[in-house]
Amino acid sequence: MALSMIESLFSQASYTSQEEIDRICQGVLENLYAPDKTNECMNQLRQLYFILQASHTEPCLPRNMISTLVNMVSSMDHDKTKECLLCEQILAELLPREQEDLGSDFYPSSNYQNATSSANCFPLYLMQGNKKFCLADVIPHAVRWMSSGKEDFNVQRQAFCFLVSLQVLHNRLVNEETMKTVNSTASDWLMNASLYQLPNPYTINPFKKDQAPVVNEVDGTPSRNFFTVLNIGQYYTNDQFLNIYSFSMLYKWLYHSQTSTEEALDVASKSAHVFKSLVDKSIDYCFRILDQCERKPKVSSDIDLQNCCLLEVVNILDMICKIEPGHVARVFQEVRRLYQRLMHELDKPRLLIPVLQFFLNHGKSVEHDPQEAYTLFFHKLLTQCYLDPAFSFDTITFIKDNLETLCHNTNVLSTYFPNILKMLAWNPRSYLADFEEILPALMSPNTAIEVFHMLLDLPCVTVALEITERCKKSEVQTLSTEAEPTSSLSAFQSALYRPMFNFFTRVEGGHGDTINRLSLFHNILGDMNQHPRVLVCSQVVPVLLRIWFDVVLDDASSDFLSHLIPVLLERTAFLYNIPGYQGDVRKVLAENVVHLLKKYPEILYDQASEIKDFLISPRNISGREEFFANLVWCVGELCSVRHDNRCTAETITRFFDTLEVLTYELSGMSSANLKEEISNPSKIICMLMSSISKLASKCQDLIPRSILLLTKVAKQQQTSFLDTEIKDAVVGRAQELINLLKLPNFANVVLNPDDEIETGRWHRDNTSLPITLRCVQHILS
Amino acid sequence: MVYAFVIHTLLPGPCRVLYHNVYGQDATYSDEVNDAEHKNRRRNHIQLIANEVHSEYQFRRAVQSRAVEDDIQRMGNDDTLPDFEFGCIRLPEGNPFTVERIALWLGAGNSGFTLVCEKSENRLLAENVLKILIRFIQEHVRVINQPSEARLKSDKIALILSRFLPNGNLLFMNHRVVRQLEKEVENLMKL
């Protein structure tokens, strides 16, 4: 009901005609100052705003309408606040546009400078942007109004907000002089707000005491120090509000100013001189906040505020130490004290992240070793809090921001990668892009294989986490040792399988793998394979696997890759059963086994026995045709003395033996049997025939055997029950190879072309085979 | 300063932006881009972010099997706010903005509330302020029960934003500051 109403409102608004809009504008202009038509006017303004937001092309508004809107905003009439604010919204929607449309009063000009009305337009200047350098022209006015002390609160506030926003959005526009002025004014506001409460502005009390009471601390005791955002009063004065604004915007101002001066000056000492006054005052303010955060608030919502303040303060102090490293020693002590406190109350895990960042940035200069803090964070806290979306987001942001340092200077990532990957397993939708970046850093020569296993089993990690969480709520402690469990839940309560759950939700890496019983475990978790979290998780795995292989193929040693082969052979069989998942993963494995062997063909020799064991059994084909076929291709193509001089005739013969046996076996199987196991047997047979011929052409003693084999296969296939089309293809292929092998020298050139064939030179060079053949053909015909 | 504040629908059907307020330009304005295109792009960015939140919310609902109706029903019974889903979405550099920004959202029932923050923003504070905004928007506009009201009473939302998120700035407001601003809003609302 409510939603269908929205749809109809939208379609109504987007089909409003220009006449209708003109009529509304006319109505607004007529009713705006008519005292008895306030409601009507408000409705027209609402309607106009609605149409503007819903329409795809901007409707044309009369020029006097726009200048009226500008006037409304700049006047910000108290009795018409709602109307004025709505006008501001409408204008914000219409900006940026040609300056002529906005009227001459829009920008402050040198001869007519009404600070109040210009200040109300500051938000609009930001929307209009630096068109024809108009923002740059406004800056001097803003600086003057903010710092002169002559303007009223609203003007100062607007000017300050404007300058900070400018720094955030267009930080090249604010120059050093401006920064200095803002710095000194803001530091004044930070330190010198009045300590007294504002009397209730809504009542007139004739018996009012001369002096209002001082503001309180959050725990109710009267404040004895300067005013901060954590002081409680009945009402606040304007200068106290300026104090609140200054602190609220301090970090953003420092952060964006610092990056801009860094670019401009390149010297820390110079930026220190620009920020001199502000830096000292900010430290005092931050230290006071740290003190105030140790008080216990009377109102619970102020506890949240204290936490926000702590986060902000650590960030500010971090920035200050970057600007002026001389303060590190003093600040470090305070941050460390905060860390000690947070360590004992672990209910504020997010606050530890900026503290960790601070240690990481400045620990070196005071010879502090952050290892203990890392362990606390990545071991204990992450284990407890990976479910919390805010915590996991902040943690991932922290890891990403410090990827280089964490990866090269610490072992945090390679130690705690199982814990870190849990965040992905739990939120596969949200963090894929982040983990594409993080994954390479989790891999070290020692952990890469374990990371590989964990990626392949990531959907199981998701299941394990999901089950663990469910069981946390229903607290079943005793483990049964009886019957074989039938579901994921009962497996979790079984003494036999609980260790598997613990393994998949482990905190640290380096505990090897549990390939035994893995397929049993996969089967038991089968009831969870349609859970949305698990499904999405299974979709991200192939993406990350590709990245894993890219890294490994780029950086890993041939030794490492050699050891990877048995793992690949093994894992193609053991994958969690989710529709589509096994196929996707096997495809990635199949592609990459080729890349891997092409890059280091000598691995074929090193791992010959593993590979032969794999290839000898037709059982290994089922479900893994592509991987199997690619491996067969690699053997035929890459097993050559050209790639590895250890590759003797004997090596080739052994591979040949394996393939020969397999081919006879496959070809001999009745086609019904074959189809049950292998979806596309003729492809495998063709691949085998090609590889056998390639091997034979490299070791000519084998040619008679292979001709015999090919002849037999052709005969057997002829009588098989395959489709005629496929049959013809297989038989034809066998015949071609036989003909080729009858001319051994040709066979060698055709079946084992030089690597240069890829460069294309062969098609141009006079001595190349195709050209020679063409010549011969030419002469003969 | 946050880049934008957005109210949009969540499930079911396509995501509709009910209200948005943008506080600045994405990148330094260049005269080459024409104004209409610029504004169009700005609107599309907002829609894109709302869609992201929408699909994230959909996923959360799916994994928890929590129904929208439960939220609405709870709202009907008394004035307590439902439990909100909370999330952050990273908007990487170049997509859709020229700098990295972060969309921080709270959602319940059919309504989502999103703050598009700079990376330098204090997200703990942003979450806090967003909760305050939702509290008052719900009080004055009853947006969670009737999302279309956000479309129709935009002036009221504008007023609430002008005090609790002045020019898009997140303020450290203790409970008395909130109270003082609340009174100011109440008085202006009556005018």
Side-chain angles (χ1 to χ4, degrees):
Chain A
M1 22 93 257
L3 290 174
S4 60
M5 186 168 158
I6 292 173
E7 291 303 319
S8 75
L9 279 173
F10 263 90
S11 59
Q12 244 176 50
S14 56
Y15 291 112
T16 317
S17 64
Q18 185 62 44
E19 291 79 47
E20 179 73 10
I21 292 166
D22 288 343
R23 206 181 49 73
I24 298 172
C25 289
Q26 199 52 43
V28 171
L29 291 173
E30 279 165 15
N31 297 336
L32 200 50
Y33 296 105
D36 51 335
K37 298 224 169 139
T38 336
N39 283 338
E40 202 177 329
C41 176
M42 177 58 92
N43 281 332
Q44 282 162 331
L45 279 173
R46 284 170 176 172
Q47 206 179 348
L48 185 60
Y49 181 54
F50 187 21
I51 293 168
L52 277 178
Q53 285 208 325
S55 54
H56 297 292
T57 49
E58 189 180 309
C60 178
L61 261 60
R63 209 179 249 198
N64 60 341
M65 180 70 196
I66 291 177
S67 59
T68 306
L69 291 171
V70 172
N71 282 338
M72 285 293 280
V73 176
S74 58
S75 74
M76 204 47 84
D77 184 352
H78 180 267
D79 293 336
K80 284 192 177 300
T81 308
K82 270 191 288 181
E83 283 85 348
C84 294
L85 286 169
L86 195 49
C87 290
E88 189 181 323
Q89 299 268 289
I90 294 172
L91 264 178
E93 202 59 34
L94 296 168
L95 295 178
R97 67 192 303 112
E98 292 303 320
Q99 256 164 49
E100 297 79 60
D101 291 356
L102 296 164
S104 54
D105 298 346
F106 187 60
Y107 285 109
S109 56
S110 49
N111 40 14
Y112 174 70
Q113 290 164 357
N114 181 344
T116 319
S117 57
S118 290
N120 288 327
C121 289
F122 274 135
L124 295 177
Y125 299 158
L126 288 172
M127 298 304 289
Q128 174 74 353
N130 198 21
K131 226 178 177 195
K132 299 192 182 141
F133 306 102
C134 50
L135 280 179
D137 293 341
V138 180
I139 294 174
H141 296 286
V143 174
R144 202 175 65 243
W145 293 332
M146 177 191 168
S147 59
S148 70
K150 288 182 201 139
E151 303 297 338
D152 74 6
F153 159 68
N154 187 45
V155 176
Q156 290 180 311
R157 175 184 75 92
Q158 291 277 18
F160 179 48
C161 291
F162 171 73
L163 289 167
V164 175
S165 303
L166 218 52
Q167 191 70 321
V168 173
L169 296 169
H170 317 258
N171 69 19
R172 279 162 210 287
L173 285 178
V174 178
N175 62 23
E176 203 182 304
E177 270 319 298
T178 306
M179 275 193 234
K180 273 191 195 164
T181 319
V182 173
N183 287 344
S184 80
T185 312
S187 56
D188 192 40
W189 289 347
L190 278 177
M191 298 317 284
N192 300 329
S194 70
L195 254 183
Y196 295 97
Q197 303 188 17
L198 179 73
N200 187 345
Y202 298 102
T203 56
I204 302 157
N205 182 359
F207 306 107
K208 191 167 71 179
K209 288 180 220 150
D210 288 344
Q211 187 61 285
V214 292
V215 289
N216 292 329
E217 298 293 347
V218 280
D219 58 1
T221 54
S223 172
R224 293 196 193 151
N225 212 326
F226 59 87
F227 178 89
T228 74
V229 292
L230 283 174
N231 281 116
I232 310 292
Q234 280 301 305
Y235 292 93
Y236 293 89
T237 60
N238 285 336
D239 64 326
Q240 287 166 345
F241 264 105
L242 283 178
N243 182 286
I244 295 172
Y245 272 87
S246 318
F247 177 67
S248 301
M249 282 134 100
L250 180 59
Y251 178 67
K252 265 144 274 170
W253 172 255
L254 288 175
Y255 178 90
H256 292 277
S257 304
Q258 210 260 345
T259 48
S260 77
T261 45
E262 228 172 36
E263 283 164 24
L265 303 170
D266 247 345
V267 208
S269 65
K270 230 179 171 185
S271 75
H273 125 91
V274 176
F275 291 101
K276 180 88 188 79
S277 59
L278 187 59
V279 159
D280 293 341
K281 302 284 164 52
S282 304
I283 293 181
D284 291 345
Y285 197 97
C286 289
F287 283 3
R288 171 144 164 75
I289 295 263
L290 284 174
D291 282 343
Q292 286 177 306
C293 284
E294 291 183 24
R295 293 173 184 267
K296 197 173 173 345
K298 279 176 137 178
V299 178
S300 67
S301 67
D302 288 344
I303 299 178
D304 295 337
L305 185 69
Q306 276 183 328
N307 293 337
C308 297
C309 285
L310 283 176
L311 189 84
E312 188 82 357
V313 160
V314 180
N315 281 335
I316 293 172
L317 290 174
D318 179 51
M319 194 45 74
I320 283 175
C321 289
K322 270 186 199 156
I323 294 171
E324 213 171 312
H327 291 294
V328 171
R330 184 159 73 109
V331 171
F332 204 92
Q333 269 187 335
E334 288 297 316
V335 177
R336 201 139 158 209
R337 225 161 55 89
L338 175 65
Y339 170 75
Q340 302 288 356
R341 234 183 85 203
L342 292 173
M343 215 170 81
H344 295 296
E345 29 188 311
L346 290 177
D347 56 329
K348 298 167 189 163
R350 286 172 77 187
L351 294 184
L352 265 175
I353 294 172
V355 174
L356 225 53
Q357 183 72 61
F358 186 89
F359 286 167
L360 201 137
N361 291 347
H362 309 291
K364 234 183 208 158
S365 55
V366 290
E367 294 187 358
H368 170 263
D369 177 18
Q371 192 56 44
E372 178 205 341
Y374 288 145
T375 312
L376 174 75
F377 186 80
F378 284 99
H379 192 292
K380 196 165 179 185
L381 280 176
L382 192 51
T383 311
Q384 278 172 12
C385 308
Y386 70 93
L387 288 177
D388 178 357
F391 177 78
S392 60
F393 185 85
D394 286 357
T395 307
I396 287 170
T397 310
F398 172 76
I399 294 176
K400 268 183 79 177
D401 288 348
N402 301 288
L403 207 54
E404 290 272 314
T405 324
L406 290 176
C407 179
H408 297 303
N409 304 348
T410 75
N411 57 3
V412 173
L413 297 180
S414 53
T415 308
Y416 296 108
F417 72 87
N419 237 6
I420 294 169
L421 279 168
K422 270 189 220 168
M423 292 186 283
L424 176 66
W426 192 254
N427 303 292
R429 238 200 120 268
S430 324
Y431 297 138
L432 175 61
D434 296 318
F435 271 87
E436 287 178 29
E437 230 172 281
I438 294 174
L439 182 69
L442 300 181
M443 300 160 58
S444 72
N446 295 326
T447 58
I449 293 275
E450 203 182 334
V451 172
F452 178 68
H453 281 293
M454 184 143 180
L455 281 181
L456 290 177
D457 287 324
L458 205 62
C460 297
V461 176
T462 309
V463 177
L465 294 176
E466 187 78 40
I467 299 287
T468 316
E469 282 313 309
R470 278 187 210 172
C471 292
K472 259 185 202 162
K473 286 165 200 154
S474 61
E475 300 263 339
V476 184
Q477 289 303 330
T478 48
L479 296 179
S480 74
T481 47
E482 286 161 32
E484 185 73 10
T486 49
S487 71
S488 312
L489 261 176
S490 60
F492 184 71
Q493 275 136 22
S494 138
L496 193 61
Y497 288 99
R498 179 60 77 83
M500 295 291 266
F501 280 95
N502 293 341
F503 176 74
F504 279 117
T505 56
R506 67 196 183 277
V507 172
E508 285 180 39
H511 295 300
D513 51 45
T514 53
I515 207 92
N516 319 325
R517 296 198 289 141
L518 188 62
S519 67
L520 274 179
F521 190 61
H522 283 159
N523 287 341
I524 290 171
L525 298 190
D527 58 337
M528 288 290 283
N529 74 356
Q530 291 299 315
H531 190 278
R533 206 191 291 282
V534 180
L535 279 180
V536 177
C537 184
S538 75
Q539 286 155 8
V540 309
V541 171
V543 181
L544 293 174
L545 272 183
R546 280 179 206 282
I547 293 171
W548 189 90
F549 274 110
D550 287 348
V551 173
V552 160
L553 288 171
D554 274 351
D555 300 334
S557 62
S558 72
D559 203 35
F560 174 90
L561 292 171
S562 174
H563 287 109
L564 183 60
I565 287 289
V567 178
L568 288 183
L569 298 179
E570 192 168 34
R571 286 308 312 247
T572 49
F574 296 127
L575 291 173
Y576 185 45
N577 184 19
I578 302 174
Y581 173 66
Q582 293 184 332
D584 291 347
V585 169
R586 282 177 182 149
K587 200 169 158 56
V588 178
L589 299 184
E591 281 167 21
N592 282 290
V593 78
V594 177
H595 294 317
L596 195 158
L597 289 173
K598 259 187 168 174
K599 188 166 179 194
Y600 295 108
E602 65 266 27
I603 292 177
L604 267 182
Y605 182 84
D606 295 331
Q607 298 291 338
S609 62
E610 294 276 349
I611 292 173
K612 276 183 286 189
D613 285 349
F614 183 81
L615 291 179
I616 197 74
S617 159
R619 259 188 328 143
N620 286 336
I621 305 175
S622 144
R624 294 177 267 171
E625 283 92 347
E626 198 178 345
F627 184 84
F628 198 91
N630 284 1
L631 199 58
V632 170
W633 181 85
C634 286
V635 169
E637 183 76 15
L638 302 169
C639 183
S640 152
V641 72
R642 199 190 305 144
H643 298 301
D644 185 353
N645 48 21
R646 294 171 300 173
C647 187
T648 55
E650 199 186 337
T651 322
I652 294 180
T653 311
R654 286 215 196 108
F655 272 116
F656 184 89
D657 292 344
T658 311
L659 296 186
E660 187 186 36
V661 171
L662 182 71
T663 316
Y664 276 127
E665 193 171 346
L666 285 184
S667 180
M669 278 162 109
S670 75
S671 61
N673 266 346
L674 207 56
K675 276 227 160 133
E676 231 166 65
E677 292 223 7
I678 306 167
S679 64
N680 190 0
S682 35
K683 182 185 166 188
I684 299 275
I685 289 177
C686 280
M687 196 64 91
L688 280 166
M689 292 193 302
S690 305
S691 285
I692 280 173
S693 311
K694 282 182 195 170
L695 289 176
S697 70
K698 278 180 262 195
C699 176
Q700 301 193 348
D701 297 347
L702 297 168
I703 287 183
R705 271 167 75 188
S706 56
I707 290 181
L708 181 66
L709 173 96
L710 291 167
T711 322
K712 274 199 170 176
V713 170
K715 222 179 251 167
Q716 270 165 334
Q717 296 297 314
Q718 198 82 59
T719 58
S720 72
F721 299 98
L722 290 169
D723 295 339
T724 13
E725 212 174 309
I726 299 175
K727 206 191 291 178
D728 290 350
V730 175
V731 174
R733 179 73 182 146
Q735 203 53 55
E736 274 169 27
L737 290 168
I738 292 170
N739 292 344
L740 209 49
L741 285 173
K742 282 182 181 158
L743 302 166
N745 290 337
F746 271 105
N748 193 22
V749 182
V750 174
L751 293 171
N752 298 298
D754 211 272
D755 290 338
E756 279 182 9
I757 193 167
E758 313 236 333
T759 64
R761 192 180 68 86
W762 275 46
H763 294 276
R764 296 187 298 271
D765 200 331
N766 279 341
T767 60
S768 71
L769 177 76
I771 290 183
T772 322
L773 283 178
R774 213 170 293 137
C775 280
V776 172
Q777 190 196 18
H778 198 68
I779 293 166
L780 288 179
S781 61
Chain B
M1 186 192 83
V2 301
Y3 173 79
F5 170 75
V6 192
I7 305 178
H8 47 90
T9 61
L10 293 171
L11 307 165
C15 173
R16 287 293 193 181
V17 173
L18 297 171
Y19 179 93
H20 72 259
N21 202 348
V22 177
Y23 290 99
Q25 279 178 352
D26 174 29
T28 314
Y29 187 87
S30 65
D31 286 324
E32 293 149 33
V33 185
N34 86 33
D35 292 338
E37 194 187 320
H38 180 88
K39 281 174 265 190
N40 229 342
R41 215 185 285 165
R42 184 169 69 198
R43 213 168 300 157
N44 290 342
H45 290 167
I46 297 292
Q47 182 66 51
L48 193 128
I49 292 165
N51 290 346
E52 285 283 321
V53 174
H54 181 251
S55 74
E56 175 79 32
Y57 185 75
Q58 205 155 11
F59 176 70
R60 297 268 186 97
R61 289 279 155 160
V63 293
Q64 291 168 3
S65 45
R66 176 175 149 196
V68 174
E69 289 71 31
D70 302 343
D71 285 355
I72 307 277
Q73 200 157 20
R74 258 195 81 184
M75 299 287 313
N77 296 342
D78 45 44
D79 266 351
T80 50
L81 290 174
D83 293 332
F84 284 93
E85 280 293 336
F86 168 81
C88 295
I89 295 171
R90 200 182 312 282
L91 309 166
E93 187 181 324
N95 181 28
F97 301 116
T98 46
V99 292
E100 177 178 337
R101 291 200 165 92
I102 290 160
L104 185 143
W105 61 272
L106 284 166
N110 283 321
S111 313
F113 305 85
T114 303
L115 281 174
V116 183
C117 299
E118 299 295 329
K119 213 189 156 193
S120 55
E121 219 80 63
N122 182 332
R123 286 190 287 280
L124 214 52
L125 179 65
E127 188 185 336
N128 236 352
V129 171
L130 190 55
K131 280 181 185 153
I132 294 174
L133 289 174
I134 294 173
R135 192 172 102 210
F136 291 114
I137 291 173
Q138 174 65 10
E139 188 180 318
H140 290 281
V141 192
R142 305 202 54 77
V143 58
I144 299 176
N145 314 57
Q146 298 154 302
S148 55
E149 287 293 278
R151 246 337 189 167
L152 300 171
K153 308 243 165 85
S154 36
D155 53 308
K156 293 189 175 178
I157 300 178
L159 175 59
I160 292 166
L161 289 178
S162 75
R163 305 299 134 156
F164 292 100
L165 192 66
N167 305 359
N169 289 299
L170 300 167
L171 298 184
F172 288 84
M173 298 176 282
N174 62 45
H175 74 281
R176 285 309 308 178
V177 174
V178 173
R179 183 76 194 110
Q180 182 169 348
L181 296 173
E182 185 186 351
K183 270 199 175 164
E184 197 181 331
V185 167
E186 272 167 14
N187 286 329
L188 291 169
M189 212 54 103
K190 284 180 211 141
L191 288 176

